[in-house]
Amino acid sequence: MPVAPVQTQAALAAERLLGPKGAFELVEEDVLGAVMHVMRNRTKSVGALLGESGKFGDREYLVHGDRRITFAEHVALVASLAIELSEHYGIRRGDRIAIAGANTPEWVLTFWASQCLGAVCVGLNSWWVARELDDGIALTRPSLVVADAKRMALLENITLEVPTLSFENDIPRLAAAHVGAQPPHTDVHEDDPAVIVFTSGSTGMPKGVVHSQRNLIAVIDYFSYGEAVAAAVSESSEPVVRAPKRHLLINPLFHISGLHNLAVPRLVTGDTVVTYQGAFDASRVLELIERERITNWGAVPTMASRLLQLTDSERYDLSSLSAFSLGSAPSSAGLLTQLRARFLFARRALVNSYGLTETSTGITLALTDDLERDPTTVGRPIPSVTLEIRDPMGERLPDGDEGEIYVRSPLVMHSYWENPDATADAIAPGRWLRTGDIGVIENGLLRLTTRRSDLIIRGGENVYPVAVEQCLEDHPAVAECCVLGNPHEDLGQEVVAVVVTHPGTTVDEVQLRVFCADRIAYFKIPSRWSVTTDPLPRNATGKLMRKKVVF
């Protein structure tokens, strides 16, 4: 009997899992005054998941250099730490615990201890200077600050009225104080805050995005659902015992790509999190993938571009890598094509996604087949997500029309911390999130054009920077670029471009203009150029910081 194609098997599995009486059954419920799809069989608190993870026993949960922490060891360490934070530092439900540090097991231990106590984990950006850390602490008013040595030195420059604990000494000591203790449990409401993370922020102080217990559970359930679909497809072809996956953690834990998408759900799926240490270096990353037999890696486009610059990538054994995703910033069709041509793992496992800090995780997913048909797509909405494209008046547009992307889902943030005006601006009636991104839905697939705030209006014509940038990035000499709108006396704005070339290559503005002429409309072609070898400014998650690009 012929075996159904994998896509058909996956669709059938999804229908069964999400349908009536399925393990991830979708139903309609009221969420903060709006009716939306949620998963019926969900846990109601993040902290409750810790004790359940003990069933994975001696499997490795965290690998950090030479340190290897099993699931059983992790539960014991978190239990002791939570007891100490409660008994000696008075941490209670709703209190904030701020964390400032590089990715380490201590970051993860502190996060889970906060959840056991019903406290709110505040992920401070570890790239901030002292003044910015001070602003973040002043905004969230934590009862405790936990930091590594580097950030602790910065904190000495500001006035703190709360206790501080160090990653290097205090957290290990507290986590070893109560051998054999059980994790404490605190009753919380489903819409209580669980985490505060900060927006990338283009100007001024970033806003604190509040993710509730519901938000984080929805993320975890989505990843668990994905594992269930994969398991169902595998069982339908040839029954196998699923080996634990090994996920590479490069993105920072103060961002949803590191914490929500990786460290947290892996506690539930029983998989291993391997942390990469230090500044991104493509050779060192591939060495780690080979040594630790990494199976899953979620990268940003900048990382992927640097992989392509390696001249000796074939010397690394990357055969273990079976899942490779791109996110956090748009990927050009040229980049995807080059990745597939160069790397086997990209041909068989490359996926793309779209999400915001305000949506807790990626809200669309483009599978390998989707990208082969349309390299510009960021995919279809994931379960529980409803997307609409709307005009400037907030009216829904038909498929094929370009407009602002609106999202409704239990994944949408609860609010901006103590900022009701910004919350009201972001969340429209019916709990629809105004993303500020411009896109088009065609045949169920979303395609991004640009951020609304980055839109260039040249002589009455709209120019979307991403479209021009993706064109330029297809030029063999271009490593990265940024397209901006500069004030113009006649046109209102003119299109300008900062182009960074690959090492050892040269290109001038005449060649770039000719290259663009056959690919984009005349009014989109930059009128002024800056060609350089200096890399563009990016934030901790690899996103281009347009406001800091100097033309």
Side-chain angles (χ1 to χ4, degrees), residues 226-242:
E227 296 289 343
V229 171
V233 171
S234 176
E235 289 170 5
S236 66
S237 54
E238 50 178 291
V240 294
V241 177
R242 177 189 177 280

Side-chain angles (χ1 to χ4, degrees), residues 393-446:
M393 302 302 295
E395 297 297 323
R396 183 176 181 179
L397 294 169
D399 284 6
D401 283 7
E402 187 175 67
E404 185 176 359
I405 303 166
Y406 278 60
V407 184
R408 182 163 65 187
S409 171
L411 294 164
V412 169
M413 69 171 184
H414 179 278
S415 59
Y416 291 118
W417 178 258
E418 295 189 346
N419 195 337
D421 291 341
T423 301
D425 287 342
I427 299 180
R431 293 286 303 171
W432 286 96
L433 175 70
R434 304 178 178 98
T435 68
D437 290 331
I438 307 298
V440 177
I441 295 177
E442 294 175 314
N443 301 317
L445 294 168
L446 176 65

Side-chain angles (χ1 to χ4, degrees), residues 199-222:
T199 57
S200 299
S202 56
T203 59
M205 178 62 197
K207 297 184 288 289
V209 178
V210 178
H211 291 145
S212 64
Q213 302 281 330
R214 181 194 301 277
N215 293 153
L216 215 49
I217 290 294
V219 175
I220 294 166
D221 283 346
Y222 165 64

Side-chain angles (χ1 to χ4, degrees), residues 124-138 150-160 205:
L124 298 173
N125 188 319
S126 63
W127 286 19
W128 281 346
V129 297
R131 178 187 55 78
E132 293 167 316
L133 288 171
D134 194 15
D135 288 343
I137 290 169
K150 183 175 181 179
R151 262 51 62 164
M152 197 69 80
L154 291 175
L155 294 175
E156 292 177 357
N157 297 317
I158 64 179
T159 301
L160 285 178
M205 178 62 197

Side-chain angles (χ1 to χ4, degrees), residues 203-496:
T203 59
M205 178 62 197
K207 297 184 288 289
V209 178
V210 178
H211 291 145
S212 64
Q213 302 281 330
R214 181 194 301 277
N215 293 153
L216 215 49
I217 290 294
V219 175
I220 294 166
D221 283 346
Y222 165 64
F223 281 102
S224 298
Y225 157 78
E227 296 289 343
V229 171
V233 171
S234 176
E235 289 170 5
S236 66
S237 54
E238 50 178 291
V240 294
V241 177
R242 177 189 177 280
K245 296 177 180 177
R246 299 179 70 80
H247 294 255
L248 180 60
L249 173 61
I250 295 183
N251 294 332
L253 284 165
F254 59 76
H255 188 267
I256 62 171
S257 59
L259 184 65
H260 299 43
N261 292 357
L262 208 155
V264 171
R266 298 313 140 204
L267 188 90
V268 177
T269 58
D271 295 321
T272 303
V273 176
V274 180
T275 59
Y276 172 83
Q277 303 173 59
F280 183 87
D281 179 277
S283 295
R284 290 181 53 224
V285 168
L286 297 189
E287 288 173 0
L288 184 60
I289 291 173
E290 178 180 39
R291 182 172 69 252
E292 290 291 342
R293 306 305 296 157
I294 298 296
T295 61
N296 296 63
W297 178 20
V300 299
T302 304
M303 297 174 186
S305 295
R306 292 179 185 175
L307 283 183
L308 292 170
Q309 295 174 23
L310 284 179
T311 59
D312 61 348
S313 58
E314 68 283 348
R315 74 184 182 90
Y316 300 98
D317 179 3
L318 308 178
S319 59
S320 62
L321 196 56
S322 58
F324 178 67
S325 62
L326 290 174
S328 295
S331 303
S332 71
L335 175 63
L336 300 179
T337 300
Q338 291 178 65
L339 285 170
R340 287 200 195 92
R342 180 82 169 273
F343 297 106
L344 176 60
F345 63 77
R347 291 197 291 274
R348 69 188 181 193
L350 178 62
V351 299
N352 202 357
S353 63
Y354 162 67
L356 304 83
T357 301
E358 288 84 350
T359 63
S360 307
T361 188
I363 51 173
T364 67
L365 180 66
L367 300 174
T368 303
D369 289 347
D370 296 323
L371 292 171
E372 287 178 354
R373 287 192 294 269
D374 180 5
T376 66
T377 186
V378 290
R380 306 173 191 278
I382 66 172
S384 86
V385 169
T386 303
L387 291 184
E388 287 186 358
I389 303 297
R390 297 189 181 183
D391 66 17
M393 302 302 295
E395 297 297 323
R396 183 176 181 179
L397 294 169
D399 284 6
D401 283 7
E402 187 175 67
E404 185 176 359
I405 303 166
Y406 278 60
V407 184
R408 182 163 65 187
S409 171
L411 294 164
V412 169
M413 69 171 184
H414 179 278
S415 59
Y416 291 118
W417 178 258
E418 295 189 346
N419 195 337
D421 291 341
T423 301
D425 287 342
I427 299 180
R431 293 286 303 171
W432 286 96
L433 175 70
R434 304 178 178 98
T435 68
D437 290 331
I438 307 298
V440 177
I441 295 177
E442 294 175 314
N443 301 317
L445 294 168
L446 176 65
R447 176 168 52 85
L448 299 179
T449 51
T450 195
R451 286 284 302 172
R452 176 177 53 184
S453 59
D454 297 330
L455 178 66
I456 302 167
I457 304 179
R458 179 195 179 279
E461 296 285 351
N462 290 346
V463 178
Y464 297 101
V466 169
V468 183
E469 289 162 357
Q470 290 183 345
C471 170
L472 287 170
E473 287 167 357
D474 285 343
H475 191 287
V478 176
E480 57 180 348
C481 62
C482 178
V483 171
L484 305 166
N486 267 11
H488 191 276
E489 184 176 352
D490 180 40
L491 300 171
Q493 285 182 298
E494 64 175 344
V495 183
V496 302

